[in-house]
């Protein structure tokens, strides 16, 4: 955009236009004096270099459409030196650009700042970058650069920040010169690439270094002491081994330390607690062992402590961190270890705690009633222990609770009606315990519930209307209890439902014949599966948990149900015909109605495009087998055994890939190529169930209905006003 000025010319007695020219010059000069940037022209050589670079860039969003004219201030992402017009900064981050970076960019000889992050630039990093002697920052992160780090970068003696993370094809041996080419280097981020080899000794001694992130590579070797005052050290997800050093040189400065997912051994030295500024410590997924010393007590600045997935043992530490009313631990993860004994009361004094993970240990005793003191608590997981007693009523004091996960313990008693006070609860999993009684009507108040697993308990009674108030329900399992009565008409009407498992109860009556919700119908086969394993059998919900903490603000909570869409009503007392509408639900991936008293004929299966498993065995179904199923390409399990089917099954209808599917139907003729007709006789060993006949895949399938994964998303941890981001992943 160019400025145009209309200057009035007064000519009452002057015959020439020349006297007006000084006036115009004065106005233009005054404009530049008061706003010099309005007149800042790009250096012609730098302009040519930028246009040359732009010639190879794909720019679908037209972010660089402003690169016209000569006014530097109008060029998106470009900053110039005020007097000379030479380009000193190129910042094109997150503009959806792609293509190769041409060497003409290296003609910007006064360039100090180069940021091309968050795009899709590809090819190798230009070797000519080494000629940009004034560069202080290079950020090429989150692109598609490949190859190795060019040695010419060693010529950048003024460089302060080298950020190349998130280029998966960039790697090779970690360069030997990486720690000694610039005595000014403060930040080195090579994470999430493919570098290998060992860290050079020079990297441990680079005095200027403050931020080092080599995480998520293939770097090997022993973990050494660092001899500079680091603030951020990320070495997670590599092949490092050895014992944990003390990081003594960083006692007053280190805020983030993550060594997760390596092969560290030995115990956790108490000297780690002397890191005064530490806000985030992640040592998960290692081989750390022994107990935690009582002298290992962190300061109140520690926000996140993750020691999960190790081999730590002994009692849980009575005091793991100092805490005040306004500061202290926000997330504590000691899960997947071998801690034993009771949950110490000191944990209930961590008033700022928002996420507590103690699952998969050997804990005994009762859940402390004083857990209700943790009023900021949002996620608690005590699953897979040997805890006893009842769910403490005081837990309603955790009024912000979003996930209560207590499965696989020895808990007893009843579900207390007062739990309706947890009206923000999204996940309730108390499966595989000894809980008895009925579902209280008051739980209708838990309107935020999305995942409910009450399976494998001693619950009884009929289904009450409290469940109908859980309008956001995605997963509901009441399997292997003592529920009875008729199935209600509203059973399949939840708008978001994906899994219903009522197997192993005493439900009677008919299967409701109603309209199925859009969630069952809209599945397009996009659920997350292991392509090598048809089904993953689990008897409890598995949850993958991540957390986001910003300073001392609240932990974020998001999750995604990622499971097969299915219905399991097996092993009940259901009777009557199967509603035809059930076989018109196109999104259904599995259906198990086995071990009931269902009768009538089997409708066509051809509309169930996503069907992967169907078990109708051990009923009283009759009539002929429906027509061709060869169009059901995803179907890998079919069991129609032990019914009263009759007629014949032609060889060309797609049923041949399910041997044994028609056992126990003596009036059924199953055609085989060149061998005539085989009767559906029982298996060779009478009394065996369908699962035993068909092998391990079937055990995997109908051991439980579905596999459910949850993602409570991690965005990052900002440990200081400088907003340091990190990712922490913990598991249930």
């Amino acid at each position: 955009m160019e400025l145009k000025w209309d200057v009035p010319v007064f000519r009452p007695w002057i015959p020439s236009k020349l006297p007006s020219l000084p006036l115009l010059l004065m106005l233009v000069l005054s404009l530049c004096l008061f706003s010099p940037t309005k007149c800042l022209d790009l250096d012609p050589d730098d302009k040519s270099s930028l246009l040359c670079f732009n010639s190879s860039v794909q720019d679908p969003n037209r972010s660089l459409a402003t690169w016209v004219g000569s006014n530097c201030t109008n060029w998106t992402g470009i900053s110039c030196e005020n007097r000379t017009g030479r380009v000193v900064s190129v910042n094109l981050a997150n503009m959806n650009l792609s293509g190769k970076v041409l060497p003409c960019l290296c003609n910007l000889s006064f360039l100090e700042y180069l940021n091309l992050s968050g795009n899709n630039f590809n090819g190798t990093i230009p070797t000519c970058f080494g000629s940009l002697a004034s560069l202080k920052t290079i950020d090429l992160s989150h692109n598609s650069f490949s190859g190795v780090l060019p040695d010419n970068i060693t010529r950048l003696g003024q460089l302060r920040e080298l950020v190349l993370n998130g280029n998966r094809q960039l790697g090779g041996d970690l360069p030997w010169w990486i720690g000694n080419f610039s005595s000014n280097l403060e930040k080195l981020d090579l994470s999430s690439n493919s570098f290998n080899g060992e860290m050079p000794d020079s990297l441990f001694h680079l005095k200027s270094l403050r931020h080092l992130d080599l995480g998520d590579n293939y770097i090997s070797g022993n973990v050494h002491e660092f001899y500079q005052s680091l603030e951020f050290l990320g070495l997670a997800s590599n092949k490092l081994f050895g014992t944990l050093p003390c990081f003594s040189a960083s006692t007053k400065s280190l805020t983030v330390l993550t060594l997760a997912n390596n092969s560290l051994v030995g115990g956790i030295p108490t000297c780690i607690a002397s890191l005064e500024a530490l806000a985030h410590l992640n040592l998960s997924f290692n081989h750390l062992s022994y107990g935690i010393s009582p002298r290992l007590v962190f300061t109140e600045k520690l926000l996140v402590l993750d020691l999960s997935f190790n081999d730590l043992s002994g009692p849980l530490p009575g005091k793991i961190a100092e805490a005040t009313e306004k500061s202290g631990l926000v997330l504590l993860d000691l899960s997947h270890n071998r801690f034993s004994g009771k949950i110490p009361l000191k944990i209930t004094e961590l008033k700022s705690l928002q996420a507590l993970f103690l699952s998969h240990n050997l804990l005994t005793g009762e859940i402390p009633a004083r857990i209700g003191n943790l009023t900021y608590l949002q996620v608690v997981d005590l699953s897979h222990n040997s805890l006893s007693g009842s769910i403490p009523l005081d837990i309603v004091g955790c009024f912000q609770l979003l996930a209560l996960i207590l499965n696989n313990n020895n808990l007893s008693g009843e579900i207390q009606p007062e739990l309706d006070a947890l009206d923000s609860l999204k996940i309730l999993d108390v499966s595989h315990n000894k809980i008895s009684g009925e579902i209280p009507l008051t739980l209708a108040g838990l309107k935020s519930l999305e995942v409910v697993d009450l399976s494998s308990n001693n619950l009884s009674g009929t289904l009450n209307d409290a469940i109908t108030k859980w309008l956001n329900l995605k997963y509901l399992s009441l399997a292997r209890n003592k529920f009875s009565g008729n199935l209600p008409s509203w059973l399949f009407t939840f708008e978001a439902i994906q899994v219903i498992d009522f197997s192993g109860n005493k439900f009677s009556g008919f299967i409701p014949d109603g309209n199925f919700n859009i969630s069952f119908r809209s599945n397009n086969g996009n659920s997350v599966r292991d392509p090598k394993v048809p089904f993953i059998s689990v008897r409890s919900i598995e949850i993958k948990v991540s957390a986001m903490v910003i300073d001392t603000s609240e932990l974020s909570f998001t999750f995604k149900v990622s499971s097969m869409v299915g219905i399991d009503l097996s092993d009940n007392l259901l009777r009557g015909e199967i509603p035809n509408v059930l076989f018109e639900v196109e999104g259904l991936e599995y259906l198990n109605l086995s071990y009931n008293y269902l009768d009538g004929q089997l409708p066509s299966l051809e509309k169930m495009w996503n069907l992967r498993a169907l078990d109708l065995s051990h009923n009283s179904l009759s009539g002929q087998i429906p027509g061709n199923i060869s169009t059901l390409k995803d179907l890998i399990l079919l069991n129609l055994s032990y019914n009263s089917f009759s007629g014949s099954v032609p060889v060309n209808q797609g049923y041949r890939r399910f041997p044994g599917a028609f056992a126990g139907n003596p009036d059924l003729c199953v055609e085989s190529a060149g061998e005539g007709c085989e009767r559906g006789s029982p298996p060779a060993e009478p009394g065996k169930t369908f699962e035993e006949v068909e092998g391990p895949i079937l055990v995997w399938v109908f051991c439980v209905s579905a596999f459910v994964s949850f993602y409570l998303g991690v965005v990052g941890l900002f440990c200081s006003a400088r907003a340091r981001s990190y990712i922490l992943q913990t598991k249930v």
Side-chain angles (χ1 to χ4, degrees):
M1 175 178 170
E2 296 183 359
L3 296 177
K4 296 183 180 180
W5 298 90
D6 293 321
V7 181
V9 179
F10 300 95
R11 291 180 290 180
W13 55 273
I14 300 175
S16 173
K17 297 181 181 179
L18 291 177
S20 66
L21 185 58
L23 179 60
L24 175 62
L25 291 175
M26 289 179 62
L27 288 172
V28 173
L29 287 174
S30 64
L31 172 66
C32 293
L33 181 65
F34 290 105
S35 183
T37 59
K38 296 291 184 182
C39 299
L40 185 58
D41 283 343
L42 267 168
D43 177 85
D45 292 336
D46 287 357
K47 177 181 177 180
S48 298
S49 299
L50 289 173
L51 292 175
C52 172
F53 160 76
N54 192 21
S55 66
S56 68
V57 174
Q58 284 78 56
D59 181 17
N61 297 342
R62 295 186 54 79
S63 301
L64 306 185
T66 59
W67 284 20
V68 292
S70 297
N71 191 342
C72 179
T73 56
N74 291 337
W75 284 48
T76 299
I78 304 301
S79 298
C80 301
E81 203 276 329
N82 285 339
R83 294 173 300 168
T84 64
R86 303 305 299 261
V87 174
V88 294
S89 173
V90 175
N91 186 357
L92 306 180
N94 302 304
M95 291 187 180
N96 195 27
L97 306 175
S98 60
K100 295 185 182 298
V101 178
L102 295 182
C104 47
L105 192 64
C106 301
N107 295 329
L108 303 174
S109 54
F110 285 80
L111 194 63
E112 298 179 3
Y113 181 88
L114 175 61
N115 188 347
L116 304 179
S117 65
N119 288 292
N120 195 31
F121 289 110
N122 54 49
T124 58
I125 297 175
T127 57
C128 65
F129 277 1
S131 65
L132 297 171
S134 299
L135 266 181
K136 295 181 174 62
T137 295
I138 298 179
D139 189 346
L140 307 180
S141 61
H142 299 290
N143 278 284
S144 299
F145 289 107
S146 58
V148 298
L149 199 56
D151 291 344
N152 283 16
I153 287 182
T154 58
R155 298 165 58 185
L156 302 178
Q158 301 299 315
L159 202 64
R160 294 177 181 173
E161 296 186 355
L162 179 58
V163 182
L164 304 175
N165 59 296
N167 290 278
R168 271 300 176 193
Q169 302 303 314
L170 183 66
D173 288 336
L174 196 63
W176 61 268
W177 47 260
I178 198 67
N180 61 9
F181 75 95
S182 172
S183 59
N184 297 304
L185 194 65
E186 298 178 1
K187 180 176 181 178
L188 177 62
D189 189 347
L190 304 181
S191 62
S192 299
N193 290 308
S194 297
F195 289 101
N196 51 51
E198 297 188 9
M199 289 181 283
D201 288 341
S202 58
L203 206 53
F204 298 99
H205 296 272
L206 181 57
K207 293 298 183 183
S208 60
L209 196 60
R210 295 293 176 265
H211 181 117
L212 176 62
D213 195 348
L214 302 177
D216 198 12
N217 280 284
Y218 304 99
I219 296 170
S220 57
N222 211 327
V223 179
H224 295 287
E225 278 280 6
F226 286 80
Y227 297 98
Q228 62 273 83
S229 298
L230 292 171
E231 297 174 3
F232 183 107
L233 179 58
L235 300 175
S237 299
N238 280 290
K239 299 179 179 180
L240 301 172
F241 53 83
T243 56
L244 197 63
C246 289
F247 304 102
S248 302
S250 303
T251 299
K252 296 184 181 298
S253 59
L254 194 61
T255 58
V256 175
L257 174 59
T258 171
L259 285 160
N261 198 20
N262 281 288
S263 297
L264 302 182
V265 296
I268 302 175
T270 56
C271 59
I272 291 293
S274 64
L275 298 173
E276 299 175 5
L278 196 62
H280 170 210
L281 177 62
N282 189 350
L283 304 176
S284 62
F285 286 96
N286 278 288
H287 305 297
L288 299 173
S289 55
Y290 309 116
I292 295 181
S293 169
R295 294 184 293 130
L296 185 70
V297 180
F298 294 93
T299 71
E300 70 278 359
K301 293 182 180 179
L302 189 68
L303 300 178
V304 174
L305 176 61
D306 188 353
L307 305 179
S308 63
F309 286 90
N310 278 288
D311 198 30
L312 299 169
S313 58
L316 286 174
K319 186 174 185 179
I320 193 69
E322 302 287 350
T324 65
E325 289 293 330
K326 296 184 178 180
S327 63
L329 275 177
V330 173
L331 189 150
L332 175 62
D333 191 347
L334 303 178
S335 65
H336 292 85
N337 280 286
R338 293 192 299 115
F339 290 115
S340 57
K342 297 182 177 182
I343 299 174
L345 292 178
K346 284 287 185 180
I347 285 183
T348 65
E349 297 177 7
L350 299 171
K351 296 295 183 64
S352 57
L353 203 61
Q354 295 174 32
L356 174 63
F357 303 105
L358 302 178
S359 70
H360 292 85
N361 279 291
L362 306 172
L363 301 177
T364 57
E366 298 186 358
I367 301 172
R370 281 167 35 184
I371 195 172
N373 294 342
L374 303 177
T375 55
Y376 293 105
L377 201 62
Q378 295 187 42
V379 181
V380 58
D381 180 10
L382 308 178
S383 65
H384 293 272
N385 281 289
S386 298
L387 298 172
S388 56
S390 59
I391 302 172
L393 190 56
D394 297 58
I395 203 167
V396 299
C398 308
F399 60 92
Q400 300 187 54
L401 204 60
L402 301 173
L404 178 60
I405 306 168
L406 304 175
N407 58 286
N408 290 83
N409 279 288
N410 294 318
L411 299 175
S412 57
E414 299 185 356
I415 299 175
Q416 298 298 321
E418 289 81 1
L419 288 182
D420 68 331
L422 300 175
D423 55 6
S424 298
L425 202 63
K426 292 178 180 288
I427 299 176
L428 174 62
D429 185 357
V430 295
S431 62
H432 292 85
N433 281 289
K434 300 174 182 177
I435 297 173
S436 57
E438 300 186 4
I439 299 175
L441 279 169
T442 57
L443 295 195
L446 303 181
K447 296 181 179 180
S448 298
L449 279 175
E450 298 183 27
V451 175
V452 177
D453 193 346
L454 307 179
S455 63
S456 297
N457 279 287
N458 296 317
L459 294 166
S460 59
T462 59
L463 294 184
N464 58 53
D465 290 344
I467 298 177
T468 63
K469 305 301 181 183
W470 304 341
L471 300 179
N472 299 309
L473 205 57
K474 297 178 181 178
Y475 178 99
L476 175 62
S477 178
L478 306 180
R480 297 174 296 281
N481 277 288
K482 299 176 181 178
F483 289 106
S484 59
N486 293 337
L487 293 178
S489 59
W490 44 257
L491 182 58
F492 303 120
T493 59
F494 296 97
E495 291 186 2
I497 198 70
Q498 294 186 23
V499 174
I500 289 179
D501 185 358
F502 286 2
S503 61
N505 283 284
K506 298 179 180 179
F507 288 114
S508 57
F510 302 97
I511 297 175
D513 185 2
N515 293 324
F516 285 79
N517 65 74
I518 193 170
S519 180
F520 276 136
R521 291 185 178 277
S522 63
N523 175 48
N524 292 317
N526 294 324
S527 56
V528 176
R529 315 183 187 109
D530 185 337
K532 298 180 181 178
V533 181
F535 293 95
I536 300 175
S537 133
V538 288
R539 287 187 174 271
S540 63
I541 298 176
E542 291 190 2
I543 303 177
K544 185 178 180 181
V545 180
S546 301
M548 180 183 83
V549 182
I550 302 177
D551 272 343
T552 56
S553 62
E554 293 185 1
L555 169 146
S556 73
F557 178 95
T558 58
F559 76 94
K560 177 182 178 182
V561 175
S562 184
S563 69
M564 290 187 302
V565 176
I567 297 172
D568 191 344
L569 302 178
S570 63
D571 196 13
N572 278 287
L573 306 174
L574 300 175
R575 58 188 174 84
E577 296 185 1
I578 303 173
N580 287 344
V581 67
L582 197 57
F583 293 92
E584 297 175 0
V585 183
E586 297 177 1
L588 210 59
E589 292 184 272
Y590 74 91
L591 176 64
N592 188 356
L593 303 178
S594 62
Y595 289 92
N596 279 289
Y597 298 95
L598 300 171
D599 55 30
Q601 296 190 357
L602 181 61
S604 172
L605 308 178
E606 295 179 359
K607 293 184 179 180
M608 304 180 76
W609 302 111
N610 290 293
L611 193 64
R612 306 188 69 210
L614 176 65
D615 190 349
L616 303 178
S617 65
H618 296 272
N619 279 288
S620 300
L621 300 172
S622 59
Q624 295 190 350
I625 300 296
N628 200 338
I629 63 164
S630 58
T631 57
L632 303 182
K633 303 297 184 182
D634 291 336
L635 189 64
I636 60 173
L637 186 150
L638 178 67
N639 191 355
L640 303 178
S641 64
Y642 294 98
N643 279 285
S644 300
F645 290 115
S646 58
S648 63
V649 182
V651 69
N652 61 349
Q653 289 192 346
Y655 288 100
R656 288 186 60 193
R657 68 183 196 265
F658 306 108
F662 304 107
N665 289 279
D667 296 329
L668 186 65
C669 170
V670 183
E671 295 182 2
S672 57
E675 298 182 5
C677 183
E678 292 182 359
R679 293 290 171 180
S681 57
E685 299 180 41
K688 277 201 170 186
T689 65
F690 171 67
E691 288 82 359
E692 292 172 322
V693 173
E694 292 297 314
I697 288 181
L698 305 186
V699 176
W700 286 1
V701 174
F702 289 115
C703 197
V704 84
S705 316
F707 173 64
V708 181
S709 295
F710 304 91
Y711 297 89
L712 296 97
V714 170
V715 178
L717 169 66
F718 297 83
C719 297
S720 67
R722 299 181 62 184
R724 306 184 178 282
S725 58
Y726 66 93
I727 293 180
L728 166 68
Q729 290 190 333
T730 58
K731 286 71 40 192
V732 175

